[in-house]
Amino acid sequence: MIDFRLSTFTLIAAVGVTLGACAPETTSSPKDVSAVDVIIPSERFFTADQFTYANYQEVVVKHAALDLDVNFDRKVLDGAVTLRFERLKPGARTLILDTKDLLIKAVALETEDGWVPTRYTLTEADTVLGSAMNVDIGTDATQLRIIYETSPKAEGLQWLTPAQTAGKEKPYLFSQAQALYARTMLPIQDTPAVRLTYEASLRVPDGLLPLMSASQDGQDADGNWTFSMPQPIPSYLIAIAVGDIKFKAINDTIGVYAEQYILDASAEEFAETPQMEMANTELYGPYRWGRYDLIVLPPSFPYGGMENPRLSFMTPTLIAGDKSLTNVVAHELAHSWSGNLVTNSNWRDAWLNEGFTSYVENRVMEALYGERRAVMEQVLDLEGMKRAISEAARPELTHLKLPDDMKHPDDAFTLVSYIKGANFLFFLEDRFGRDAFDPFLKSYFNAYAFDSITTEDFLGFMDANLRNKFPDAVTDAEISEWVYGPGLPDTARKPESDAFAEVDAVSASWTRGDIRAAKLPTEKWSTHEWLHFLNGLPNLTQAQYEELDSAFALTGTQNAETAFAWYMQAIKGGYEPAMPALEDFLMTVGRGKFIYRLYGALKDNGQTDMANRIFAKAKAGYHPIAQRRIGDVLAK
Ligand code: BES
Ligand code: ZN
């Protein structure tokens, strides 16, 4: 007989009582202009999430309490989750949860007689979605407890051996739940349409520090590490990291976690985070999550950053030593408004998260570093997006409102959502003017705080609060072309960078042979100028590659963005001397943005054997998500 009486039970009962007290603030201060005359349309639009099994229109999970052993020997999270739910449809008797590769051991409902086992079924596993778990929730229960463990191959978890860490002595675990991997960590309604609060009680081996995307509440009398997230979040923001992790404060409410080897450098690299938070708050209203910390993960982390609330997860490839790549911090922090506070309710509307965030990121970069840097970033982004549009498998994947038959939510996270999305907002900003557009966006974040919405909800809110005041600023046809049409509309802003114009002139004079590489005026170039220069290189001779390389030591450069841009060129031109360093890069860096394209370029340039050879060697060190993606790239 399984004992469902876990230590967490008392904790949950207590939380049930106090939830009201820690409900998020949704009102704004009186001096907040956005609070004046804001109309929230009563009509709400619905777009189904095709990547969940959950019956979230009938029953919704409101709170999860995790009680888990982090077992590094078996590479599993082992324990229980207690879910509190509400019936939206009176009489609903089934709760459908998402699961993937979970071992379910027992399920019980809370009744007057205590915890009583209940019936459940698991459907056959789909390779993308996993298995639906249908639980009989009876007629009166409001809480459900599931005893389970994760699989060692859970796609949302990477378990690193001590040898795979910098310190070499202790193991490391980190999660990545977006877009549909929370279901590999716990049985949950794994859709951004559902928001829940959570708490956790974790047991980890001595000497390791666990962190979650929550307030870190310390160790209880029994040695359990406790966490709570009182603001309702979508499941993809549940996150955990465990390792030999140290902390360094940047100020009273912002700090960095990292392995010791990179702690000081990280705190220095990210020293301007407080100013970023101030700029963001100034533009779009209060930061509503308490602390903001960053954790610099091991190099196999497959993203540049992940906006886990209160604790952004960051790649170590940002630690360039010169703060040149901190737009990723601005980006993840900006998600505290766009994405985490106001969330896309389904992945077809991913641009509501990523396009808004890329826009806010650029506004914050401009506020901190000025227009010159912000415009350079706009131009680099536009160049990348145009390539993404030209490479799209079908035109519907270049719409902001994505089609209803995407195969995987990854299809939603191309530069279309990010940069076409941001450019739609640049277009609106230019038409309405910042004086009107900035307070409008602030009022939007306030109106839909802690809510999950669709593109159509945003458009309705804009009609009611902005277009009503400036009816001639934009036409329906223009908006429709941006949102429901392919490619980049002609009405897009055309950013021009003087800095890049100079780079282009220099580049032309070198490729014409007017000047030697070593004499090029590059001393004052920022990483951005280097990226523009490298990305724009025409086909070069081997001698020209050598000349550049010996003048600027590009092969083996420590700035990961510059290295990536150079290796892409080196692959294209068959420049052999860069290949050992490229191999080293692929063996040590797991950031998808770089490695998916490097493997793709090797393949496209007739180096499939080399790509396969390196992948075979590097694979075990890559994150499960990256392993799958590269497998797909090389199989195509
Ligand atoms: N939310 C994304 C990361 C992500 C995307 C995770 C899709 C899972 C699925 C994050 O905010 C992000 O966009 N990171 C970017 C950096 C940004 C500056 C463009 C990245 O990882 O490169
Ligand atoms: Zn993002």
mmCIF file with all atom_site columns, all heavy atoms in Angstrom, residues 176 178-179 303-307 327-328 331-332 335 354 361 413 418 591 593, ligand 1:
data_model
loop_
_atom_site.group_PDB
_atom_site.id
_atom_site.type_symbol
_atom_site.label_atom_id
_atom_site.label_alt_id
_atom_site.label_comp_id
_atom_site.label_asym_id
_atom_site.label_entity_id
_atom_site.label_seq_id
_atom_site.pdbx_PDB_ins_code
_atom_site.Cartn_x
_atom_site.Cartn_y
_atom_site.Cartn_z
_atom_site.occupancy
_atom_site.B_iso_or_equiv
_atom_site.pdbx_formal_charge
_atom_site.auth_seq_id
_atom_site.auth_comp_id
_atom_site.auth_asym_id
_atom_site.auth_atom_id
_atom_site.pdbx_PDB_model_num
ATOM   1   N N   . GLN A 1 176 ? 14.917 22.469 -18.841 1.00 0.00 ? 176 GLN A N   1
ATOM   2   C CA  . GLN A 1 176 ? 14.489 23.398 -19.891 1.00 0.00 ? 176 GLN A CA  1
ATOM   3   C C   . GLN A 1 176 ? 13.077 22.960 -20.277 1.00 0.00 ? 176 GLN A C   1
ATOM   4   O O   . GLN A 1 176 ? 12.900 22.003 -21.029 1.00 0.00 ? 176 GLN A O   1
ATOM   5   C CB  . GLN A 1 176 ? 15.442 23.337 -21.090 1.00 0.00 ? 176 GLN A CB  1
ATOM   6   C CG  . GLN A 1 176 ? 14.960 24.081 -22.321 1.00 0.00 ? 176 GLN A CG  1
ATOM   7   C CD  . GLN A 1 176 ? 14.650 25.549 -22.051 1.00 0.00 ? 176 GLN A CD  1
ATOM   8   O OE1 . GLN A 1 176 ? 15.435 26.259 -21.422 1.00 0.00 ? 176 GLN A OE1 1
ATOM   9   N NE2 . GLN A 1 176 ? 13.482 26.013 -22.487 1.00 0.00 ? 176 GLN A NE2 1
ATOM   10  N N   . GLN A 1 178 ? 10.427 24.966 -21.637 1.00 0.00 ? 178 GLN A N   1
ATOM   11  C CA  . GLN A 1 178 ? 9.819  25.506 -22.853 1.00 0.00 ? 178 GLN A CA  1
ATOM   12  C C   . GLN A 1 178 ? 10.290 24.699 -24.067 1.00 0.00 ? 178 GLN A C   1
ATOM   13  O O   . GLN A 1 178 ? 11.460 24.340 -24.107 1.00 0.00 ? 178 GLN A O   1
ATOM   14  C CB  . GLN A 1 178 ? 10.218 26.977 -23.045 1.00 0.00 ? 178 GLN A CB  1
ATOM   15  C CG  . GLN A 1 178 ? 9.294  27.704 -24.009 1.00 0.00 ? 178 GLN A CG  1
ATOM   16  C CD  . GLN A 1 178 ? 9.696  29.168 -24.224 1.00 0.00 ? 178 GLN A CD  1
ATOM   17  O OE1 . GLN A 1 178 ? 10.816 29.574 -23.941 1.00 0.00 ? 178 GLN A OE1 1
ATOM   18  N NE2 . GLN A 1 178 ? 8.772  29.958 -24.719 1.00 0.00 ? 178 GLN A NE2 1
ATOM   19  N N   . ALA A 1 179 ? 9.432  24.380 -25.014 1.00 0.00 ? 179 ALA A N   1
ATOM   20  C CA  . ALA A 1 179 ? 8.050  24.712 -25.049 1.00 0.00 ? 179 ALA A CA  1
ATOM   21  C C   . ALA A 1 179 ? 7.152  23.597 -24.510 1.00 0.00 ? 179 ALA A C   1
ATOM   22  O O   . ALA A 1 179 ? 6.101  23.882 -23.935 1.00 0.00 ? 179 ALA A O   1
ATOM   23  C CB  . ALA A 1 179 ? 7.645  25.043 -26.487 1.00 0.00 ? 179 ALA A CB  1
ATOM   24  N N   . TYR A 1 303 ? 20.236 27.130 -25.105 1.00 0.00 ? 303 TYR A N   1
ATOM   25  C CA  . TYR A 1 303 ? 19.754 28.455 -25.524 1.00 0.00 ? 303 TYR A CA  1
ATOM   26  C C   . TYR A 1 303 ? 20.715 29.552 -25.067 1.00 0.00 ? 303 TYR A C   1
ATOM   27  O O   . TYR A 1 303 ? 21.582 29.316 -24.223 1.00 0.00 ? 303 TYR A O   1
ATOM   28  C CB  . TYR A 1 303 ? 18.354 28.714 -24.954 1.00 0.00 ? 303 TYR A CB  1
ATOM   29  C CG  . TYR A 1 303 ? 17.345 27.791 -25.579 1.00 0.00 ? 303 TYR A CG  1
ATOM   30  C CD1 . TYR A 1 303 ? 16.935 26.632 -24.931 1.00 0.00 ? 303 TYR A CD1 1
ATOM   31  C CD2 . TYR A 1 303 ? 16.854 28.034 -26.855 1.00 0.00 ? 303 TYR A CD2 1
ATOM   32  C CE1 . TYR A 1 303 ? 16.047 25.752 -25.535 1.00 0.00 ? 303 TYR A CE1 1
ATOM   33  C CE2 . TYR A 1 303 ? 15.965 27.161 -27.467 1.00 0.00 ? 303 TYR A CE2 1
ATOM   34  C CZ  . TYR A 1 303 ? 15.566 26.025 -26.802 1.00 0.00 ? 303 TYR A CZ  1
ATOM   35  O OH  . TYR A 1 303 ? 14.706 25.164 -27.405 1.00 0.00 ? 303 TYR A OH  1
ATOM   36  N N   . GLY A 1 304 ? 20.520 30.731 -25.647 1.00 0.00 ? 304 GLY A N   1
ATOM   37  C CA  . GLY A 1 304 ? 21.268 31.891 -25.187 1.00 0.00 ? 304 GLY A CA  1
ATOM   38  C C   . GLY A 1 304 ? 20.808 32.242 -23.784 1.00 0.00 ? 304 GLY A C   1
ATOM   39  O O   . GLY A 1 304 ? 21.604 32.533 -22.887 1.00 0.00 ? 304 GLY A O   1
ATOM   40  N N   . GLY A 1 305 ? 19.502 32.219 -23.620 1.00 0.00 ? 305 GLY A N   1
ATOM   41  C CA  . GLY A 1 305 ? 18.928 32.485 -22.315 1.00 0.00 ? 305 GLY A CA  1
ATOM   42  C C   . GLY A 1 305 ? 17.526 31.935 -22.268 1.00 0.00 ? 305 GLY A C   1
ATOM   43  O O   . GLY A 1 305 ? 16.921 31.652 -23.308 1.00 0.00 ? 305 GLY A O   1
ATOM   44  N N   . MET A 1 306 ? 17.030 31.723 -21.058 1.00 0.00 ? 306 MET A N   1
ATOM   45  C CA  . MET A 1 306 ? 15.652 31.256 -20.864 1.00 0.00 ? 306 MET A CA  1
ATOM   46  C C   . MET A 1 306 ? 15.073 32.031 -19.691 1.00 0.00 ? 306 MET A C   1
ATOM   47  O O   . MET A 1 306 ? 15.661 32.072 -18.614 1.00 0.00 ? 306 MET A O   1
ATOM   48  C CB  . MET A 1 306 ? 15.640 29.744 -20.608 1.00 0.00 ? 306 MET A CB  1
ATOM   49  C CG  . MET A 1 306 ? 14.261 29.191 -20.278 1.00 0.00 ? 306 MET A CG  1
ATOM   50  S SD  . MET A 1 306 ? 13.107 29.358 -21.677 1.00 0.00 ? 306 MET A SD  1
ATOM   51  C CE  . MET A 1 306 ? 11.557 29.631 -20.805 1.00 0.00 ? 306 MET A CE  1
ATOM   52  N N   . GLU A 1 307 ? 13.905 32.615 -19.948 1.00 0.00 ? 307 GLU A N   1
ATOM   53  C CA  . GLU A 1 307 ? 13.326 33.602 -19.037 1.00 0.00 ? 307 GLU A CA  1
ATOM   54  C C   . GLU A 1 307 ? 12.635 33.023 -17.816 1.00 0.00 ? 307 GLU A C   1
ATOM   55  O O   . GLU A 1 307 ? 11.567 33.496 -17.423 1.00 0.00 ? 307 GLU A O   1
ATOM   56  C CB  . GLU A 1 307 ? 12.344 34.459 -19.837 1.00 0.00 ? 307 GLU A CB  1
ATOM   57  C CG  . GLU A 1 307 ? 11.103 33.703 -20.387 1.00 0.00 ? 307 GLU A CG  1
ATOM   58  C CD  . GLU A 1 307 ? 11.259 33.108 -21.775 1.00 0.00 ? 307 GLU A CD  1
ATOM   59  O OE1 . GLU A 1 307 ? 12.405 32.802 -22.169 1.00 0.00 ? 307 GLU A OE1 1
ATOM   60  O OE2 . GLU A 1 307 ? 10.233 32.948 -22.468 1.00 0.00 ? 307 GLU A OE2 1
ATOM   61  N N   . ASN A 1 327 ? 22.681 42.068 -24.673 1.00 0.00 ? 327 ASN A N   1
ATOM   62  C CA  . ASN A 1 327 ? 21.296 42.187 -25.144 1.00 0.00 ? 327 ASN A CA  1
ATOM   63  C C   . ASN A 1 327 ? 20.493 40.941 -24.756 1.00 0.00 ? 327 ASN A C   1
ATOM   64  O O   . ASN A 1 327 ? 19.272 41.022 -24.616 1.00 0.00 ? 327 ASN A O   1
ATOM   65  C CB  . ASN A 1 327 ? 21.251 42.409 -26.667 1.00 0.00 ? 327 ASN A CB  1
ATOM   66  C CG  . ASN A 1 327 ? 21.655 41.162 -27.423 1.00 0.00 ? 327 ASN A CG  1
ATOM   67  O OD1 . ASN A 1 327 ? 22.785 40.694 -27.294 1.00 0.00 ? 327 ASN A OD1 1
ATOM   68  N ND2 . ASN A 1 327 ? 20.727 40.587 -28.171 1.00 0.00 ? 327 ASN A ND2 1
ATOM   69  N N   . VAL A 1 328 ? 21.173 39.816 -24.572 1.00 0.00 ? 328 VAL A N   1
ATOM   70  C CA  . VAL A 1 328 ? 20.439 38.611 -24.164 1.00 0.00 ? 328 VAL A CA  1
ATOM   71  C C   . VAL A 1 328 ? 19.901 38.775 -22.729 1.00 0.00 ? 328 VAL A C   1
ATOM   72  O O   . VAL A 1 328 ? 18.809 38.303 -22.414 1.00 0.00 ? 328 VAL A O   1
ATOM   73  C CB  . VAL A 1 328 ? 21.314 37.341 -24.304 1.00 0.00 ? 328 VAL A CB  1
ATOM   74  C CG1 . VAL A 1 328 ? 20.518 36.101 -23.917 1.00 0.00 ? 328 VAL A CG1 1
ATOM   75  C CG2 . VAL A 1 328 ? 21.813 37.199 -25.736 1.00 0.00 ? 328 VAL A CG2 1
ATOM   76  N N   . HIS A 1 331 ? 16.973 40.872 -23.053 1.00 0.00 ? 331 HIS A N   1
ATOM   77  C CA  . HIS A 1 331 ? 15.899 40.057 -23.615 1.00 0.00 ? 331 HIS A CA  1
ATOM   78  C C   . HIS A 1 331 ? 15.208 39.215 -22.527 1.00 0.00 ? 331 HIS A C   1
ATOM   79  O O   . HIS A 1 331 ? 13.989 39.285 -22.365 1.00 0.00 ? 331 HIS A O   1
ATOM   80  C CB  . HIS A 1 331 ? 16.465 39.160 -24.723 1.00 0.00 ? 331 HIS A CB  1
ATOM   81  C CG  . HIS A 1 331 ? 15.450 38.294 -25.395 1.00 0.00 ? 331 HIS A CG  1
ATOM   82  N ND1 . HIS A 1 331 ? 14.850 38.638 -26.580 1.00 0.00 ? 331 HIS A ND1 1
ATOM   83  C CD2 . HIS A 1 331 ? 14.907 37.104 -25.036 1.00 0.00 ? 331 HIS A CD2 1
ATOM   84  C CE1 . HIS A 1 331 ? 13.986 37.696 -26.928 1.00 0.00 ? 331 HIS A CE1 1
ATOM   85  N NE2 . HIS A 1 331 ? 14.003 36.751 -26.004 1.00 0.00 ? 331 HIS A NE2 1
ATOM   86  N N   . GLU A 1 332 ? 15.988 38.456 -21.796 1.00 0.00 ? 332 GLU A N   1
ATOM   87  C CA  . GLU A 1 332 ? 15.371 37.564 -20.789 1.00 0.00 ? 332 GLU A CA  1
ATOM   88  C C   . GLU A 1 332 ? 14.680 38.377 -19.696 1.00 0.00 ? 332 GLU A C   1
ATOM   89  O O   . GLU A 1 332 ? 13.609 38.014 -19.221 1.00 0.00 ? 332 GLU A O   1
ATOM   90  C CB  . GLU A 1 332 ? 16.402 36.600 -20.199 1.00 0.00 ? 332 GLU A CB  1
ATOM   91  C CG  . GLU A 1 332 ? 17.162 35.744 -21.212 1.00 0.00 ? 332 GLU A CG  1
ATOM   92  C CD  . GLU A 1 332 ? 16.306 35.109 -22.304 1.00 0.00 ? 332 GLU A CD  1
ATOM   93  O OE1 . GLU A 1 332 ? 15.110 34.867 -22.074 1.00 0.00 ? 332 GLU A OE1 1
ATOM   94  O OE2 . GLU A 1 332 ? 16.838 34.883 -23.410 1.00 0.00 ? 332 GLU A OE2 1
ATOM   95  N N   . HIS A 1 335 ? 11.307 39.602 -20.788 1.00 0.00 ? 335 HIS A N   1
ATOM   96  C CA  . HIS A 1 335 ? 10.247 38.592 -20.692 1.00 0.00 ? 335 HIS A CA  1
ATOM   97  C C   . HIS A 1 335 ? 9.476  38.701 -19.363 1.00 0.00 ? 335 HIS A C   1
ATOM   98  O O   . HIS A 1 335 ? 8.375  38.158 -19.254 1.00 0.00 ? 335 HIS A O   1
ATOM   99  C CB  . HIS A 1 335 ? 10.825 37.183 -20.805 1.00 0.00 ? 335 HIS A CB  1
ATOM   100 C CG  . HIS A 1 335 ? 10.949 36.667 -22.220 1.00 0.00 ? 335 HIS A CG  1
ATOM   101 N ND1 . HIS A 1 335 ? 9.888  36.603 -23.089 1.00 0.00 ? 335 HIS A ND1 1
ATOM   102 C CD2 . HIS A 1 335 ? 12.017 36.160 -22.895 1.00 0.00 ? 335 HIS A CD2 1
ATOM   103 C CE1 . HIS A 1 335 ? 10.301 36.069 -24.242 1.00 0.00 ? 335 HIS A CE1 1
ATOM   104 N NE2 . HIS A 1 335 ? 11.585 35.799 -24.152 1.00 0.00 ? 335 HIS A NE2 1
ATOM   105 N N   . GLU A 1 354 ? 7.838  36.427 -28.006 1.00 0.00 ? 354 GLU A N   1
ATOM   106 C CA  . GLU A 1 354 ? 9.204  36.683 -28.485 1.00 0.00 ? 354 GLU A CA  1
ATOM   107 C C   . GLU A 1 354 ? 9.338  37.979 -29.286 1.00 0.00 ? 354 GLU A C   1
ATOM   108 O O   . GLU A 1 354 ? 10.363 38.651 -29.216 1.00 0.00 ? 354 GLU A O   1
ATOM   109 C CB  . GLU A 1 354 ? 9.704  35.484 -29.298 1.00 0.00 ? 354 GLU A CB  1
ATOM   110 C CG  . GLU A 1 354 ? 9.824  34.183 -28.489 1.00 0.00 ? 354 GLU A CG  1
ATOM   111 C CD  . GLU A 1 354 ? 10.774 34.273 -27.297 1.00 0.00 ? 354 GLU A CD  1
ATOM   112 O OE1 . GLU A 1 354 ? 11.533 35.254 -27.193 1.00 0.00 ? 354 GLU A OE1 1
ATOM   113 O OE2 . GLU A 1 354 ? 10.733 33.354 -26.453 1.00 0.00 ? 354 GLU A OE2 1
ATOM   114 N N   . GLU A 1 361 ? 13.500 44.509 -25.629 1.00 0.00 ? 361 GLU A N   1
ATOM   115 C CA  . GLU A 1 361 ? 14.960 44.359 -25.514 1.00 0.00 ? 361 GLU A CA  1
ATOM   116 C C   . GLU A 1 361 ? 15.664 45.520 -26.213 1.00 0.00 ? 361 GLU A C   1
ATOM   117 O O   . GLU A 1 361 ? 16.545 46.177 -25.652 1.00 0.00 ? 361 GLU A O   1
ATOM   118 C CB  . GLU A 1 361 ? 15.366 43.024 -26.166 1.00 0.00 ? 361 GLU A CB  1
ATOM   119 C CG  . GLU A 1 361 ? 16.844 42.846 -26.439 1.00 0.00 ? 361 GLU A CG  1
ATOM   120 C CD  . GLU A 1 361 ? 17.107 41.734 -27.482 1.00 0.00 ? 361 GLU A CD  1
ATOM   121 O OE1 . GLU A 1 361 ? 16.312 40.785 -27.605 1.00 0.00 ? 361 GLU A OE1 1
ATOM   122 O OE2 . GLU A 1 361 ? 18.141 41.833 -28.191 1.00 0.00 ? 361 GLU A OE2 1
ATOM   123 N N   . PHE A 1 413 ? 9.478  29.169 -33.100 1.00 0.00 ? 413 PHE A N   1
ATOM   124 C CA  . PHE A 1 413 ? 10.556 29.990 -32.546 1.00 0.00 ? 413 PHE A CA  1
ATOM   125 C C   . PHE A 1 413 ? 11.640 30.263 -33.579 1.00 0.00 ? 413 PHE A C   1
ATOM   126 O O   . PHE A 1 413 ? 12.810 30.008 -33.357 1.00 0.00 ? 413 PHE A O   1
ATOM   127 C CB  . PHE A 1 413 ? 11.123 29.321 -31.283 1.00 0.00 ? 413 PHE A CB  1
ATOM   128 C CG  . PHE A 1 413 ? 10.132 29.348 -30.155 1.00 0.00 ? 413 PHE A CG  1
ATOM   129 C CD1 . PHE A 1 413 ? 9.206  28.327 -30.014 1.00 0.00 ? 413 PHE A CD1 1
ATOM   130 C CD2 . PHE A 1 413 ? 10.083 30.422 -29.288 1.00 0.00 ? 413 PHE A CD2 1
ATOM   131 C CE1 . PHE A 1 413 ? 8.256  28.371 -28.994 1.00 0.00 ? 413 PHE A CE1 1
ATOM   132 C CE2 . PHE A 1 413 ? 9.143  30.479 -28.270 1.00 0.00 ? 413 PHE A CE2 1
ATOM   133 C CZ  . PHE A 1 413 ? 8.227  29.450 -28.128 1.00 0.00 ? 413 PHE A CZ  1
ATOM   134 N N   . TYR A 1 418 ? 10.384 36.386 -33.589 1.00 0.00 ? 418 TYR A N   1
ATOM   135 C CA  . TYR A 1 418 ? 11.221 37.338 -32.861 1.00 0.00 ? 418 TYR A CA  1
ATOM   136 C C   . TYR A 1 418 ? 11.299 38.675 -33.599 1.00 0.00 ? 418 TYR A C   1
ATOM   137 O O   . TYR A 1 418 ? 10.962 39.722 -33.050 1.00 0.00 ? 418 TYR A O   1
ATOM   138 C CB  . TYR A 1 418 ? 12.652 36.796 -32.714 1.00 0.00 ? 418 TYR A CB  1
ATOM   139 C CG  . TYR A 1 418 ? 12.810 35.703 -31.690 1.00 0.00 ? 418 TYR A CG  1
ATOM   140 C CD1 . TYR A 1 418 ? 12.444 34.395 -31.979 1.00 0.00 ? 418 TYR A CD1 1
ATOM   141 C CD2 . TYR A 1 418 ? 13.347 35.960 -30.438 1.00 0.00 ? 418 TYR A CD2 1
ATOM   142 C CE1 . TYR A 1 418 ? 12.605 33.381 -31.050 1.00 0.00 ? 418 TYR A CE1 1
ATOM   143 C CE2 . TYR A 1 418 ? 13.516 34.946 -29.494 1.00 0.00 ? 418 TYR A CE2 1
ATOM   144 C CZ  . TYR A 1 418 ? 13.146 33.668 -29.805 1.00 0.00 ? 418 TYR A CZ  1
ATOM   145 O OH  . TYR A 1 418 ? 13.300 32.665 -28.886 1.00 0.00 ? 418 TYR A OH  1
ATOM   146 N N   . ARG A 1 591 ? 25.125 25.627 -27.411 1.00 0.00 ? 591 ARG A N   1
ATOM   147 C CA  . ARG A 1 591 ? 24.072 26.608 -27.684 1.00 0.00 ? 591 ARG A CA  1
ATOM   148 C C   . ARG A 1 591 ? 23.520 26.413 -29.088 1.00 0.00 ? 591 ARG A C   1
ATOM   149 O O   . ARG A 1 591 ? 24.228 26.564 -30.086 1.00 0.00 ? 591 ARG A O   1
ATOM   150 C CB  . ARG A 1 591 ? 24.645 28.012 -27.514 1.00 0.00 ? 591 ARG A CB  1
ATOM   151 C CG  . ARG A 1 591 ? 23.625 29.108 -27.678 1.00 0.00 ? 591 ARG A CG  1
ATOM   152 C CD  . ARG A 1 591 ? 24.260 30.445 -27.341 1.00 0.00 ? 591 ARG A CD  1
ATOM   153 N NE  . ARG A 1 591 ? 23.361 31.540 -27.633 1.00 0.00 ? 591 ARG A NE  1
ATOM   154 C CZ  . ARG A 1 591 ? 23.720 32.823 -27.614 1.00 0.00 ? 591 ARG A CZ  1
ATOM   155 N NH1 . ARG A 1 591 ? 24.971 33.140 -27.296 1.00 0.00 ? 591 ARG A NH1 1
ATOM   156 N NH2 . ARG A 1 591 ? 22.865 33.765 -27.894 1.00 0.00 ? 591 ARG A NH2 1
ATOM   157 N N   . LYS A 1 593 ? 21.607 27.987 -31.219 1.00 0.00 ? 593 LYS A N   1
ATOM   158 C CA  . LYS A 1 593 ? 21.706 29.023 -32.243 1.00 0.00 ? 593 LYS A CA  1
ATOM   159 C C   . LYS A 1 593 ? 22.994 28.876 -33.059 1.00 0.00 ? 593 LYS A C   1
ATOM   160 O O   . LYS A 1 593 ? 23.010 29.121 -34.261 1.00 0.00 ? 593 LYS A O   1
ATOM   161 C CB  . LYS A 1 593 ? 21.675 30.384 -31.540 1.00 0.00 ? 593 LYS A CB  1
ATOM   162 C CG  . LYS A 1 593 ? 21.996 31.570 -32.394 1.00 0.00 ? 593 LYS A CG  1
ATOM   163 C CD  . LYS A 1 593 ? 22.023 32.839 -31.549 1.00 0.00 ? 593 LYS A CD  1
ATOM   164 C CE  . LYS A 1 593 ? 22.610 33.984 -32.353 1.00 0.00 ? 593 LYS A CE  1
ATOM   165 N NZ  . LYS A 1 593 ? 22.736 35.224 -31.571 1.00 0.00 ? 593 LYS A NZ  1
HETATM 166 N N1  . BES B 2 .   ? 12.359 31.771 -24.615 1.00 0.00 ? 1   BES B N1  1
HETATM 167 C C1  . BES B 2 .   ? 13.533 31.809 -25.391 1.00 0.00 ? 1   BES B C1  1
HETATM 168 C C2  . BES B 2 .   ? 14.273 30.510 -25.439 1.00 0.00 ? 1   BES B C2  1
HETATM 169 C C3  . BES B 2 .   ? 13.464 29.363 -25.994 1.00 0.00 ? 1   BES B C3  1
HETATM 170 C C4  . BES B 2 .   ? 12.875 29.452 -27.232 1.00 0.00 ? 1   BES B C4  1
HETATM 171 C C5  . BES B 2 .   ? 13.319 28.204 -25.285 1.00 0.00 ? 1   BES B C5  1
HETATM 172 C C6  . BES B 2 .   ? 12.128 28.396 -27.725 1.00 0.00 ? 1   BES B C6  1
HETATM 173 C C7  . BES B 2 .   ? 12.565 27.156 -25.781 1.00 0.00 ? 1   BES B C7  1
HETATM 174 C C8  . BES B 2 .   ? 11.972 27.247 -27.001 1.00 0.00 ? 1   BES B C8  1
HETATM 175 C C9  . BES B 2 .   ? 14.488 32.897 -24.923 1.00 0.00 ? 1   BES B C9  1
HETATM 176 O O1  . BES B 2 .   ? 13.861 34.018 -24.397 1.00 0.00 ? 1   BES B O1  1
HETATM 177 C C10 . BES B 2 .   ? 15.247 33.373 -26.133 1.00 0.00 ? 1   BES B C10 1
HETATM 178 O O2  . BES B 2 .   ? 14.630 33.826 -27.033 1.00 0.00 ? 1   BES B O2  1
HETATM 179 N N2  . BES B 2 .   ? 16.573 33.253 -26.137 1.00 0.00 ? 1   BES B N2  1
HETATM 180 C C11 . BES B 2 .   ? 17.390 33.666 -27.244 1.00 0.00 ? 1   BES B C11 1
HETATM 181 C C12 . BES B 2 .   ? 18.090 34.959 -26.972 1.00 0.00 ? 1   BES B C12 1
HETATM 182 C C13 . BES B 2 .   ? 17.447 36.173 -27.550 1.00 0.00 ? 1   BES B C13 1
HETATM 183 C C14 . BES B 2 .   ? 18.316 37.394 -27.337 1.00 0.00 ? 1   BES B C14 1
HETATM 184 C C15 . BES B 2 .   ? 17.051 36.072 -28.984 1.00 0.00 ? 1   BES B C15 1
HETATM 185 C C16 . BES B 2 .   ? 18.420 32.603 -27.493 1.00 0.00 ? 1   BES B C16 1
HETATM 186 O O3  . BES B 2 .   ? 18.358 31.550 -26.836 1.00 0.00 ? 1   BES B O3  1
HETATM 187 O O4  . BES B 2 .   ? 19.309 32.786 -28.303 1.00 0.00 ? 1   BES B O4  1
#
